[in-house]
Amino acid sequence: MSRPGRDDAPDRLYTLTQGRTRSAPGTPFDLLTLVVAECDPAPGMQSEHAAILRLTGRPTAVAEVAAELRLPVTITKILLCDLLAEGRVSARHPRRAELGGRPDPHILEQVLVGLRNL
């Protein structure tokens, strides 16, 4: 699988998302959303979708997925929406109650690393 990079032509990104420029309204994805694969990649699946399923074998933040794929977050969210609609991933927000309403510093550090890698 060739890994997408920052030098992707706009038509490549257009093809990845089938022309969509943003995820559907009301989708649960933000940078901190944890994504977990519900299945393994299937033969013939779009390579980016398969890569997401491999990356999210453990809970992984959207920002980390985007950084690993070297894709813009908006494109990554669109791809995640496709997988969520097919039941191939689940999405959840990190628990905040454990820290008295404060975000887990470890999660914030992971998001920061992901953002720096973009």
Side-chain angles (χ1 to χ4, degrees), residues 3 11 23 28 39 55-56 71-72 76 86 94 112:
R3 290 185 46 143
D11 57 334
S23 53
C39 64
L55 287 169
T56 57
L71 287 172
T76 302
E86 295 170 2
L112 184 58

Side-chain angles (χ1 to χ4, degrees), residues 9-60:
D11 57 334
R12 168 76 176 139
L13 298 178
Y14 182 87
T15 302
L16 283 177
T17 63
Q18 299 170 353
R20 294 168 290 165
T21 58
R22 48 181 94 177
S23 53
T27 56
F29 299 109
D30 61 28
L31 292 176
L32 293 177
T33 303
L34 296 175
V35 181
V36 180
E38 297 294 334
C39 64
D40 292 326
M45 177 180 272
Q46 181 176 326
S47 63
E48 289 76 14
H49 285 149
I52 290 170
L53 292 177
R54 283 190 293 275
L55 287 169
T56 57
R58 61 172 178 76
T60 307

Side-chain angles (χ1 to χ4, degrees), residues 76-95:
T76 302
K77 286 181 182 180
I78 293 168
L79 296 173
L80 287 168
C81 286
D82 294 343
L83 292 170
L84 183 66
E86 295 170 2
R88 295 180 183 271
V89 297
S90 58
R92 62 186 164 125
H93 289 278
R95 291 189 192 120

